[in-house]
């Protein structure tokens, strides 16, 4: 009997492909985190909680309208919420040193989790999508790609492409990068940093919202799920390389594949395998797989 | 007609007083230079005018309006651009992107990508290079070009010649006349006295945060400036 029989190859291929598709979700969660950190040096500890908040909000709105209506309404509200929080609390905290923004986002995290617990209880919920969540495309024997994971992955790629074009080819995007390089010089060319920071957080929470909603369609979630989503997003950012958009997508994919392969070895090893890859990258290649192509990070 | 007048301005860095009641006036379309030794308060004065540092007393009048309470980015919108000390070019942006960001306020006027490229042909050769890899001369031209992209009525230039090869200093100063030809007034801070006098119509000499001498650049002699520069005979406590 050959060691690599067809069935076994398909099982592992399947694990890798499912991991790759999950990676798109991590990239979605991570891109906003990366953007907020890149522009303002704020580590948004509530990033995962914001994504779970969006998932719950979609459940509530969808009850009164429908799923599409929920998504279309919730995502812009997430962006507005991001802009508002940045212009009110976070901008003030930025002037007070590095610790203040960290504490404020930590406070957001606690507040969101407890409000969700009050409103939605600790019971697991998920966003109902009807047949969409269970549809799949058959590629080969023993190899099927779920429609929802595929859409999730594509959403991650599309968000990355959109962000790429926004940051590199729009005046507002250039202003964002300029402010990230040197806020004082940005002020001197007429850029209002406070507004730019608001835009960055708005985009961050918008993409966190997309990630949270797709997460909520795939699996059951509870108010306490924010921090674990944050950990995955963090790992994706670090694996990919700080400040690099495509690196973040790659980081998400690598993390997803590590988890997929780990789960295939032993179902309990999935998350552990992700952590091991993360630590390995941190030790062997601390700048990440695709670091920002420049030496002048301040 | 004056475009800018600074009246009895004082400024502090924390508890440290840097400007002690500075006054000066710039006529529209003229080049005014501010010279003085290290620590005289030249850069501080530019920061106060550009809005990076608040004046603790006194007033900055620009186009007949008190702008004390305007932030730096609002002042760019009303036509004041600063070429800052150390150039402060956006290091991850290309030359082209730096210039495009310079036009963020969308003020209209003579200057755009094409005219800046004509003013500094060297930049055209470096068009897609990121700021991080530009040489000192390229950075200085880019910094002035970026400020021009906002089509300022008043251009503030801090130490244009600092750390540059003489031939590059010559090119940078040669571009000044092209800039004033468009009606832009220039306030020039400079350590190189000869260069400053040659390039400007009027000059103020700063010493320890005060104006110790001022006049038309042609009337000031090097020896009198030297005395003022080092506080000789100015009787201001520099014993």
């Amino acid at each position: 009997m050959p060691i690599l029989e067809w069935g076994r190859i398909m099982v592992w291929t399947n694990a890798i492909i499912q991991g790759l598709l999950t990676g798109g979700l991590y990239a979605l969660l991570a891109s906003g985190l990366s953007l907020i950190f890149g522009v303002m040096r704020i580590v948004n500890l509530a990033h995962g909680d914001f994504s779970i908040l969006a998932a719950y909000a979609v459940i509530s709105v969808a009850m009164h309208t429908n799923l599409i209506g929920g998504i279309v309404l919730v995502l812009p509200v997430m962006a507005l919420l991001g802009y508002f929080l940045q212009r009110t609390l976070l901008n003030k905290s930025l002037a007070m040193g590095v610790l203040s923004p960290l504490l404020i986002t930590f406070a957001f995290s606690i507040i969101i989790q407890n409000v969700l617990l009050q409103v939605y209880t600790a019971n697991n919920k998920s966003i109902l999508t009807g047949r969409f969540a269970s549809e799949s495309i058959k590629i080969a024997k023993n190899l099927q790609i779920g429609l929802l994971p595929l859409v999730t992955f594509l959403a991650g790629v599309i968000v990355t492409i959109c962000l790429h074009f926004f940051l590199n080819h729009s005046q507002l995007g250039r202003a964002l990068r300029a402010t990230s390089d040197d806020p004082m010089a940005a002020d001197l060319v007429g850029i209002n940093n406070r507004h730019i920071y608001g835009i960055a957080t708005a985009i961050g929470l918008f993409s966190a919202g997309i990630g949270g909603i797709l997460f909520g369609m795939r699996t059951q979630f509870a108010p306490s799920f924010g921090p674990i989503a944050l950990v995955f997003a963090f790992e994706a950012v670090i694996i990919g390389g700080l400040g690099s958009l495509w690196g973040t997508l790659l980081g998400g994919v690598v993390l997803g594949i590590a988890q997929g392969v780990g789960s295939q070895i032993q179902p309990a090893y999935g998350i552990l395998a992700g952590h091991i890859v993360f630590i390995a990258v941190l030790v062997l290649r601390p700048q990440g797989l695709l670091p920002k192509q420049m030496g002048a990070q301040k | 007609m004056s475009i800018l007048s600074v009246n009895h301005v004082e400024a502090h860095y924390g508890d440290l007083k840097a400007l002690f009641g500075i006054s000066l006036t710039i006529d529209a379309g003229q080049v005014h230079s501010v010279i003085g030794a290290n620590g005289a308060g030249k850069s501080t004065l530019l920061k106060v005018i550009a809005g990076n540092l608040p004046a603790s007393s006194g007033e900055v009048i620009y186009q007949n309006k008190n702008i004390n309470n305007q932030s730096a980015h609002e002042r760019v919108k009303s036509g004041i651009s600063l070429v800052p000390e150390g150039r402060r070019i956006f290091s991850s942006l290309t030359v082209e992107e730096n210039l495009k960001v310079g036009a963020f306020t969308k003020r209209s006027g003579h200057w755009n990508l094409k005219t800046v490229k004509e003013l500094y042909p060297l930049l055209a050769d470096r068009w897609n290079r990121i700021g991080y890899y530009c040489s000192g001369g390229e950075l200085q031209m880019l910094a002035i070009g970026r400020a021009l992209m906002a089509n300022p009525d008043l251009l503030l230039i801090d130490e244009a010649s600092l750390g540059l090869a003489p031939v590059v200093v010559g090119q940078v100063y040669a571009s000044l006349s092209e800039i004033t030809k468009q009606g832009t007034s220039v306030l020039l801070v400079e350590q190189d006295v000869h260069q400053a006098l040659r390039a400007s119509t009027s000059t103020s000499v700063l010493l320890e945060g005060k104006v110790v001498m001022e006049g038309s650049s042609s009337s000031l002699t090097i020896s009198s400036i030297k005395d003022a520069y080092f506080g000789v005979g100015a009787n201001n406590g520099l014993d």
Side-chain angles (χ1 to χ4, degrees):
Chain A
M1 194 178 84
I3 298 168
L4 290 173
E5 58 191 290
W6 181 245
R8 292 196 59 168
I9 293 175
M10 285 328 276
V11 166
W12 290 102
T13 311
N14 185 50
I16 291 170
I17 290 178
Q18 304 309 335
L20 177 117
L21 297 180
T22 311
L25 175 66
Y26 298 149
L28 276 171
L29 294 171
S31 55
L33 188 74
S34 175
L35 184 74
I36 290 173
F37 181 80
V39 174
M40 296 169 280
R41 309 291 181 271
I42 289 180
V43 176
N44 180 14
L45 291 178
H47 205 72
D49 301 293
F50 280 115
S51 64
I52 299 296
L53 174 70
Y56 274 112
V58 165
I59 291 182
S60 287
V61 179
M63 279 200 298
H64 299 287
T65 57
N66 56 34
L67 183 60
I68 301 293
I71 295 170
V72 168
L73 189 78
V74 167
L75 287 178
V77 170
M78 289 303 292
L80 285 176
L81 176 69
Y83 188 85
F84 173 77
L85 290 176
Q86 185 65 45
R87 288 304 296 255
T88 52
L89 287 165
L90 286 167
N91 274 344
K92 282 205 180 72
S93 75
L94 268 176
M96 292 154 64
V98 280
L99 196 58
S100 301
L102 207 61
L103 287 174
I104 292 217
T105 59
F106 189 47
F108 287 160
S109 168
I110 295 170
I111 292 167
I112 293 170
Q113 284 182 46
N114 284 284
V115 167
L116 290 178
L117 210 53
Q118 284 294 321
V119 177
Y120 296 99
T121 76
N123 293 337
N124 283 351
K125 286 211 161 55
S126 84
I127 300 173
L128 300 175
T129 56
R131 285 175 57 205
F132 180 55
S134 52
E135 292 275 340
S136 65
I137 305 159
K138 193 167 174 132
I139 304 287
K141 190 170 173 266
N142 295 336
L143 183 59
Q144 295 192 343
I145 292 181
L147 193 58
L148 180 56
L150 185 64
V151 167
T152 307
F153 179 74
L154 289 178
V157 173
I158 290 168
V159 164
T160 304
I161 292 173
C162 288
L163 271 178
H164 175 86
F165 275 94
F166 169 71
L167 288 174
N168 288 295
H169 300 286
S170 78
Q171 184 70 331
L172 195 57
R174 274 191 291 269
L176 227 79
R177 287 161 57 217
T179 310
S180 163
D181 274 359
D182 188 340
M184 193 206 108
D187 203 16
L188 286 174
V189 295
I191 296 169
N192 180 356
N193 293 346
R194 300 173 150 273
H195 174 66
I196 290 293
Y197 289 165
I199 299 279
T201 308
I203 295 171
L205 292 203
F206 187 88
S207 61
I210 300 176
I213 292 165
L214 287 165
F215 178 73
M217 291 177 179
R218 289 170 69 116
T219 180
Q220 302 246 315
F221 58 93
S224 59
F225 274 36
I228 189 71
L230 175 73
V231 168
F232 292 158
F234 255 127
E235 292 184 341
V237 172
I238 301 295
I239 292 172
L242 265 182
S244 158
L245 215 52
W246 295 101
T248 301
L249 180 63
L250 179 68
V253 166
V254 167
L255 182 65
I257 292 175
Q259 290 184 357
V261 171
S263 306
Q264 190 58 46
I265 297 169
Q266 230 269 20
Y269 287 174
I271 289 174
L272 179 66
H275 292 333
I276 289 172
V277 167
F278 161 68
I279 289 173
V281 168
L282 211 52
V283 171
L284 300 173
R285 201 177 152 83
Q287 73 274 36
L289 299 176
L290 274 183
K292 197 175 178 186
Q293 291 295 314
M294 216 237 323
Q297 271 296 342
K298 264 176 269 172
Chain B
M1 202 198 96
S2 75
I3 183 164
L4 178 89
S5 57
V6 173
N7 300 331
H8 309 291
V9 158
E10 301 196 337
H12 293 77
Y13 290 107
D15 287 336
L16 183 77
K17 195 167 180 180
L19 297 183
F20 295 79
I22 295 236
S23 300
L24 61 83
T25 301
I26 301 172
D27 291 329
Q30 302 294 307
V31 179
H32 185 95
S33 68
V34 172
I35 55 180
N38 271 337
K42 308 183 299 292
S43 295
T44 307
L45 175 63
L46 285 198
K47 279 184 197 159
V48 169
I49 298 171
N52 273 151
L53 184 72
S56 28
S57 70
E59 48 181 15
V60 180
I61 309 284
Y62 169 70
Q63 291 176 338
N64 302 320
K65 234 177 79 194
N66 184 322
I67 56 166
N68 278 26
N69 295 323
Q70 277 188 14
S71 62
H73 62 91
E74 286 166 342
R75 294 186 199 195
V76 181
K77 251 173 232 150
S78 32
I80 301 179
S81 285
L82 170 64
V83 180
E85 195 179 6
R87 290 110 200 195
R88 310 290 288 253
I89 288 304
F90 302 117
S91 51
S92 74
L93 273 60
T94 64
V95 167
E96 180 187 11
E97 288 176 326
N98 266 286
L99 292 175
K100 280 183 174 167
V101 167
F104 189 79
T105 53
K106 298 197 185 94
R107 283 174 58 88
S108 60
H110 171 75
W111 299 107
N112 52 43
L113 287 179
K114 189 169 159 279
T115 49
V116 168
K117 218 191 267 191
E118 282 162 11
L119 184 69
Y120 298 123
L122 182 63
L123 292 183
D125 299 335
R126 306 285 184 269
W127 209 235
N128 294 312
R129 182 175 290 188
I130 62 169
Y132 186 68
Y133 294 114
C134 287
S135 72
E138 290 159 12
L139 287 176
Q140 187 62 67
M141 291 176 190
L142 181 53
I144 298 175
R146 183 179 67 184
L148 287 177
M149 289 294 286
N151 282 297
D153 294 327
L154 174 64
L155 181 66
L156 314 169
I157 305 180
D158 201 347
E159 303 272 14
S161 66
L162 195 70
L164 298 186
V167 58
V168 182
V169 175
Q171 288 169 1
V172 167
Y173 272 91
S175 65
L176 269 191
S177 61
E178 201 58 44
I179 293 167
T180 47
K181 213 184 275 173
Q182 307 304 327
T184 307
S185 315
V186 177
L187 176 57
L188 198 65
V189 154
E190 188 53 82
Q191 288 212 3
D192 183 334
V193 176
H194 295 276
Q195 195 65 260
L197 291 181
R198 222 176 305 140
S200 61
T201 40
S202 54
T203 296
S204 303
V205 184
L206 254 58
L207 177 74
E208 296 183 327
K210 297 184 194 101
V211 177
V212 288
M213 181 184 255
E214 58 189 340
S216 77
S217 300
S218 51
S219 70
L220 298 177
T221 63
I222 293 292
S223 68
S224 64
I225 288 174
K226 251 184 207 159
D227 291 347
Y229 221 82
F230 297 110
V232 180
N235 199 20
N236 48 22
L238 193 105
D239 297 321

